[in-house]
Amino acid sequence: MLRNRIELDCQECSIRNDSAFGGLCSHSISAINGHKSSNIHRKGQILFHEGTRPLGVYCVNKGKIKLYKLGNEGKEQIIQIAKEGELLGYRAMISEELYPVSAETLEECHVCFVPKHDFLQMLSSNQELYAKLFKHACHELGIMTQNVTNLAQKTVRERLAITFIMLRETYGKDHDESNKTVINLTREDLANIVGTATETLIRLLHDFKEDNIISTKGRKIIIEDESELIHIANLS
Amino acid sequence: MLRNRIELDCQECSIRNDSAFGGLCSHSISAINGHKSSNIHRKGQILFHEGTRPLGVYCVNKGKIKLYKLGNEGKEQIIQIAKEGELLGYRAMISEELYPVSAETLEECHVCFVPKHDFLQMLSSNQELYAKLFKHACHELGIMTQNVTNLAQKTVRERLAITFIMLRETYGKDHDESNKTVINLTREDLANIVGTATETLIRLLHDFKEDNIISTKGRKIIIEDESELIHIANLS
DNA sequence: CGTGTAATTGAATGCAGTCAAACGAAGTGG
DNA sequence: CCACTTCGTTTGACTGCATTCAATTACACG
């Protein structure tokens, strides 16, 4: 077995208030707590595979997880980098479809799992949680229309700037001594977020470094000048 | 005033069962019916503008409506072509955000409008409708991840084939004597669905015509060979 | 039945992808 | 601990798909 158990308690969970489970009554929280299992996943493990049937939902307690869809040449298109507090896998369960994406850990992650049956029961008895998830899904749809427009109309350079701005949210808590965001992703993953070839991405990183917008330490990328990123992103 | 009233009755509505309001009890239907207004919109009218606050929801009874987002050069990215039966504008209302897209009629349309307050009241008293819309939103999210992947990884030629396959659903009821789907869109709109320049699109239409995949009658495009489209689309 | 908008074609440019090769870093096993 | 291996990164050269600009033709719609 590639994962290990860990003891996590929803009542004590520090990131609960940032998650979909924030603001729930203590009765609901203890219901979740009673049905979940908590696991440590090593880097590179798959939580679920695109095209498989949802078995439950995953609540990220710690670590980053990439959600990606495979194109037909086997190239990953990364749809989202999920961080602590995010609830994964509920959408396909609600729409009663197969997972449209795969979820893979980018580092060691602590993840709680709530089985489908228990989760659906909670949902049906908790209007507040239901409304919260519905709202979240509608919000995501708005973001996706923006993503589609960016991919269709913006240059790779602009999309890379947008990606960095977005990753600053995701990696905001990972910062260096001088409080600058540090992004730890392979060049290939970064290219698969932007939607370009790895070589093209590397050339653009070079340009950004020359302009002191970013710096690098090994594979790690440090965001140096966000205002210039916003400028390059050329947002409408 | 550029629109005219029309008398439509939800109880008698022929497309109701294809819509989000399908399968509701007759009590709910009459509640909707009592709160809606029905209008005829001429071609080119805007139902709502991107960036404005949702005032209610729109149920399409007849006609096609394009939903698009503006890029910063003013270029439209068409996210969806809505047809009869579709319910528009509920997502931004649920997520309590401004409209992420604009909605414009592509031909004369009959559209029923339900004001925000009435719609929200109906939602809160009708768990079934609520669940249906939530499910629909989650389904749309899956489609959007596919769209993102296609835009990022597929060539314009492949995306045009995919667009035609998609439009066959939308324009399925618009067919000629020999039962072939006829698509009536400007070249610019078609280009803005595919995510390319109008000139590029026209050149590809030329290629498709040479290969007898489509034919044209004026601006109208007739789908001649769907199996070849599927082949070109190169779906995973 | 005109007239402006849409569609089409041509030519030139360039952004980004692909292929190939070299270099570097990190991990493995002897 | 070091040689070996593998994977990730980087750079160079080349190609080509798609965009842009410009000019002409067709046709949709009032």
Side-chain angles (χ1 to χ4, degrees), chain A residues 29-65:
Chain A
I29 296 298
S30 80
I32 301 172
N33 200 43
H35 290 297
K36 74 160 205 316
S37 58
S38 307
N39 301 294
I40 297 183
H41 296 264
R42 290 209 314 256
K43 177 177 174 171
Q45 283 195 290
I46 309 276
L47 295 187
F48 51 82
H49 271 105
E50 178 181 349
T52 63
R53 195 174 302 284
L55 301 174
V57 297
Y58 302 81
C59 187
V60 185
N61 175 265
K62 176 174 168 292
K64 310 267 188 288
I65 293 167

Side-chain angles (χ1 to χ4, degrees), chain A residues 6-11 13 33 36 38-39 61 110-112:
Chain A
I6 184 179
E7 285 303 320
L8 289 173
D9 185 343
C10 296
Q11 333 264 356
C13 182
N33 200 43
K36 74 160 205 316
S38 307
N39 301 294
N61 175 265
H110 300 174
V111 181
C112 296

Side-chain angles (χ1 to χ4, degrees), chain A residues 215-226:
Chain A
S215 62
T216 57
K217 254 186 204 165
R219 71 136 68 153
K220 291 191 173 108
I221 296 168
I222 298 119
I223 308 283
E224 298 286 349
D225 187 350
E226 193 181 14

Side-chain angles (χ1 to χ4, degrees), chain A residues 19 55 63-64 101 106 120 124 128 146 178 196 225 235:
Chain A
S19 80
L55 301 174
K64 310 267 188 288
V101 294
L106 291 170
L120 288 179
S124 65
E128 194 189 352
Q146 183 68 63
S178 54
T196 188
D225 187 350
L235 300 168

Side-chain angles (χ1 to χ4, degrees), chain B residues 72-130:
Chain B
N72 42 3
E73 313 299 324
K75 188 176 163 72
E76 297 177 1
Q77 182 60 37
I78 297 182
I79 306 294
Q80 193 194 349
I81 305 284
K83 66 168 196 281
E84 63 279 356
E86 232 135 349
L87 188 67
L88 306 180
Y90 73 89
R91 286 172 288 244
M93 220 165 75
I94 296 295
S95 64
E96 302 179 89
E97 298 172 309
L98 306 179
Y99 282 125
V101 294
S102 302
E104 180 182 334
T105 56
L106 290 170
E107 53 194 51
E108 182 180 300
C109 287
H110 300 175
V111 180
C112 297
F113 176 79
V114 183
K116 176 173 174 170
H117 176 262
D118 299 316
F119 182 71
L120 288 178
Q121 197 142 50
M122 277 171 44
L123 259 194
S124 66
S125 64
N126 191 326
Q127 185 65 23
E128 195 189 350
L129 177 61
Y130 204 73

Side-chain angles (χ1 to χ4, degrees), chain A residues 79-163:
Chain A
I79 307 295
Q80 193 196 348
I81 305 286
K83 67 169 196 283
E84 62 278 357
E86 233 135 348
L87 187 68
L88 305 180
Y90 74 90
R91 287 173 287 244
M93 221 165 75
I94 296 294
S95 65
E96 301 178 89
E97 297 173 309
L98 305 179
Y99 282 124
V101 294
S102 301
E104 180 181 334
T105 56
L106 291 170
E107 53 193 50
E108 182 180 302
C109 288
H110 300 174
V111 181
C112 296
F113 176 78
V114 183
K116 175 173 175 171
H117 176 262
D118 298 316
F119 182 71
L120 288 179
Q121 196 142 50
M122 278 172 45
L123 259 193
S124 65
S125 65
N126 191 326
Q127 185 65 23
E128 194 189 352
L129 177 60
Y130 204 73
K132 209 158 189 170
L133 292 181
F134 191 8
K135 185 174 177 177
H136 185 255
C138 289
H139 172 71
E140 293 273 295
L141 267 167
I143 291 175
M144 289 302 268
T145 66
Q146 183 68 63
N147 289 346
V148 163
T149 308
N150 289 342
L151 275 165
Q153 300 194 9
K154 294 203 171 276
T155 63
V156 173
R157 185 182 168 79
E158 289 168 331
R159 297 208 303 270
L160 177 56
I162 292 169
T163 298

